[in-house]
Amino acid sequence: MVTELTKKDQLLDTFKALNFSAEQDYYTNLRKDALKEIESLELPTTGTEYWKYTRLGKITNKKFNISSPQIQDVKPFLIPNLDANIIVLVNGIYNNSLSKIEQQVGVVASSLSEAKKNNTALFKTTFNAYTKERSELFLAINNAFHTDGVFIAIDKNKTANKPYHIINITTQDHTITQTRNLFVAEKSTDIKILESFVNIDGKENFINSVSEIVVGENAQFEYNKLQDKTQDNYSISTEQVYQQANSNFTINTTTLNGALVRNNLNIEVDASNCETNLSGLYLGQNNDHIDNHTIVDHKKPHCNSNEVYKGVLDNTSTGVFNGKVFVRRDAQKTNAFQANNNILLSDDSVVNSKPELEIYADDVKCSHGSTTGQIDEEAIFYLQSRGVSRKGALNLMINAFAKDTLEKIGIPAFQEYIDLKIEERFQK
C-alpha cells in the first residue's frame, strides 16, 4: 500500500538531502530532540489562533530544493557609507571569502558550524537554550535542520568597535534555506548588529531563519533586520530574546516586500530595570503578505517596553500585526506601551491588527492602540497647492508617518538607506 505524503511530510522530505553526521554527539542529540517535537506538531492553519490571518499555502503547496551555489560579488547588497564588519551567507552557508571581519580582542565572530566545533562553554550553554520545546513547528524545523549561520559573542565590559552586517543571500528558484544565529552579549557590553535578507534572481525561495539573542546584565544590544527580497519569495523568521537585569534591547524591523513574510519576535524580560524597544515598518504592494507577531513577556518589576509598528499597504497587499504584552504578577511598576498604525493606499489592501495586553500585576502603566486609515487627501492637496507634485507630496507624507519607527536605529548610514528606500518606493 502506498501512503500519500502530507504537506508536512513533503516539506520535511526536502531535508533528507542534508547530512549532519560530522557534528558532535551533543548537537546531534539536540537535533533528535527537535525531531521528536516535530512529530507532535502539525502545520498551522487559519484555525490556529497564532496563525489566524496567514495562510501557508504559498509555501506548503510548493516543492523546494537544497542548494548552496557560490557567488562572486556582494557589493550590490552593501549599505552605502556603512563602516561595518561584513558576514555573508549564501543559501544558508557561511561564505568566508566574501566576509570581512576585523578581529577585536574580546569579540568572537564566526560561522555557527565553526562555533560548534570549538564547543566553548558559553556556546554550549546558550545554543538552543531558549528555542527548544516552544511548540512552534517552524522553530522546531530549524532546530532539527538548520544548516549554518553566525555566532557572535562579546566579553563583559567590551564595546564592539563596529557594527556587524550579516547579509543572507538566496539564489536560484525554489530553494529552501535555514539559517541559525546565536548572539551573546555578556555583562556591560555594547554591540549593534544589522541583518539583511536579499536574493539574486531566484523565484519562490523560502527562508526559515532563527536568531537566539542573550542580552546580559547592563548590556546594550541593538538588532536591525532588513527584509528586501523580491516579491515572489517567502520567509518565516524567529528572534528569541532573553534579557537580564538593567539591560537595554532594541530591535528595528523593516520589511520592504515579500509574497509571504512572517516575523515571530519573542522577548523574555526576566530581570528588573530593563528597557525594551521594538520598532517595525512594513511596506506592502502587489500581492505581498506581511505578518508581524510579537510577544513581550515582562516577568520582573521596574521595566519599560515601547513598541511601535507602522504599515503602508498598496494594491492588493495584506498586513498583519499581532502584538501581545504579558505583565506577570511579579512585574510591578512595569510601563508598557504598544501602538500599531496603518495607511491603506488602495481599496483592495487589507490590515488585520490585534494589539493585546495581558496583565496580572496591579501597579503598572500600560497602553495599547491601533489605527488604520487612508492617506489624508486634504494634506496632499495643500502640498500640491504649494508646488509639490502629488508623488512628492505622497513621499513627504509617508516619510513623516514612518519617522518614529526609524528613530531608534543607532546606525546612521542604515537609517539614511531606509529613508532612501521609502523615497524610491513612493516617487515611482
Side-chain angles (χ1 to χ4, degrees), residues 13-31:
D13 197 54
T14 310
F15 305 118
K16 286 182 178 176
L18 297 171
N19 184 350
F20 304 112
S21 60
E23 287 188 344
Q24 297 177 34
D25 289 346
Y26 177 80
Y27 301 105
T28 302
N29 289 332
L30 290 179
R31 291 185 189 274

Side-chain angles (χ1 to χ4, degrees), residues 239-241 243 249 251 265-270 274-279 293-299 303-309 321-328 331 334-338 356-359 366:
E239 285 83 39
Q240 194 72 40
V241 184
Q243 277 190 257
F249 174 73
I251 180 167
L265 171 57
N266 305 314
I267 303 176
E268 188 177 357
V269 187
D270 198 19
C274 294
E275 179 163 334
T276 310
N277 300 300
L278 306 80
S279 299
H293 199 107
T294 69
I295 296 175
V296 182
D297 192 354
H298 288 283
K299 293 185 170 180
C303 293
N304 301 324
S305 65
N306 306 287
E307 181 172 11
V308 178
Y309 272 68
F321 173 79
N322 189 179
K324 192 160 193 172
V325 177
F326 288 100
V327 182
R328 305 288 179 181
T334 292
N335 296 326
F337 168 78
Q338 183 189 71
E356 296 178 273
L357 289 172
E358 196 166 320
I359 301 172
C366 298

Side-chain angles (χ1 to χ4, degrees), residues 7-170:
K7 290 181 179 179
K8 174 185 159 185
D9 293 334
Q10 182 175 298
L11 181 63
L12 297 176
D13 197 54
T14 310
F15 305 118
K16 286 182 178 176
L18 297 171
N19 184 350
F20 304 112
S21 60
E23 287 188 344
Q24 297 177 34
D25 289 346
Y26 177 80
Y27 301 105
T28 302
N29 289 332
L30 290 179
R31 291 185 189 274
K32 289 178 179 176
D33 291 343
L35 280 172
K36 290 178 185 174
E37 188 183 8
I38 289 171
E39 289 175 5
S40 67
L41 300 170
E42 295 299 328
L43 281 170
T45 67
T46 52
T48 310
E49 183 65 24
Y50 188 61
W51 288 83
K52 185 175 181 180
Y53 300 108
T54 297
R55 292 183 171 88
L56 285 169
K58 290 179 180 177
I59 294 172
T60 56
N61 292 333
K62 302 286 189 315
K63 187 169 175 56
F64 298 100
N65 306 304
I66 305 290
S67 179
S68 57
Q70 297 298 308
I71 67 167
Q72 304 299 322
D73 189 6
V74 73
K75 287 180 184 173
F77 308 115
L78 299 178
I79 305 293
N81 304 315
L82 174 61
D83 183 16
N85 295 292
I86 304 297
I87 300 173
V88 179
L89 292 96
V90 182
N91 286 357
I93 304 297
Y94 187 98
N95 188 310
N96 192 51
S97 63
L98 292 175
S99 301
K100 294 181 180 177
I101 302 173
E102 288 184 8
Q103 298 301 318
Q104 180 183 350
V105 175
V107 183
V108 173
S110 74
S111 68
L112 192 82
S113 53
E114 187 66 28
K116 283 184 177 178
K117 289 176 186 172
N118 294 335
N119 199 30
T120 62
L122 176 66
F123 182 84
K124 195 171 179 178
T125 53
T126 49
F127 177 74
N128 210 53
Y130 305 98
T131 56
K132 59 187 176 184
E133 298 174 357
R134 289 273 171 180
S135 298
E136 207 290 307
L137 180 62
F138 289 96
L139 183 53
I141 288 175
N142 188 286
N143 278 340
F145 300 109
H146 59 270
T147 50
D148 202 357
V150 178
F151 171 57
I152 297 176
I154 180 167
D155 287 350
K156 63 181 181 181
N157 302 319
K158 294 284 184 181
T159 297
N161 292 338
K162 292 181 178 181
Y164 287 80
H165 183 191
I166 302 167
I167 306 174
N168 290 278
I169 303 172
T170 50

